[in-house]
Amino acid sequence: MAVKVRLEKDGYIKDGFVGFSWTSLFFTVWVPAFRLNFEGFIIFCIISLIETVLPFFIIATIIHTQNIDNLSSIQILQFSFYIVNFIVGFWYNRYYTQKMLKDGWKLLENDDYSSAILKGYRYLDYTESEIADQEKMQRYTEFLAEAKRKERNKLIFFLLFFVLIICLAIFF
């Protein structure tokens, strides 16, 4: 899960997200579906369709040409899909939140946390009055440092879990 920020439009409050999207890494097409993001859903469907159909075409070609030596190309292709999903994890939250901001969603009034996160991750620009207010900039820095610390901890736990799974797979 990424860092959550609160945005408002026409009296409705909705969450925007900043940072790596762990949910899109693992749940792919379901993330934009639950966020009611039709464009993101279509993009994820296209990616999932390519990841599903392309290996079948390669297997059919290998069977048709009877070139069994090319079976390693399927493993390389599957590994490249994991890399694509990882890249999408970095991309999706930025795309989703920036799209919300372009569609007129604004920060909640007096929500320093969301303001600090969006400005620290460069989704929004600092105002002149914020730059001049050293106390507010100090709070923003603390909010941002805490959010980045949490994100780093999530990455460390994921890597430890990943290494544990690989070790278990090797030894069993």
Side-chain angles (χ1 to χ4, degrees), residues 52-117:
T52 304
V53 173
L54 194 57
F56 288 117
F57 283 121
I58 292 173
I59 290 172
T61 303
I62 289 171
I63 290 171
H64 180 68
T65 60
Q66 297 178 353
N67 189 358
I68 302 300
D69 297 332
N70 285 339
L71 283 177
S72 63
S73 64
I74 294 174
Q75 293 170 337
I76 292 169
L77 182 67
Q78 287 176 328
F79 181 73
S80 69
F81 290 150
Y82 293 129
I83 293 171
V84 167
N85 286 340
F86 203 72
I87 291 168
V88 168
F90 281 106
W91 169 79
Y92 182 65
N93 279 339
R94 177 169 287 278
Y95 162 77
Y96 176 72
T97 303
Q98 286 179 337
K99 183 179 178 303
M100 285 179 66
L101 292 169
K102 286 179 186 173
D103 289 344
W105 291 84
K106 305 279 184 211
L107 288 167
L108 292 171
E109 191 174 320
N110 298 324
D111 186 0
D112 283 347
Y113 178 79
S114 294
S115 180
I117 298 302

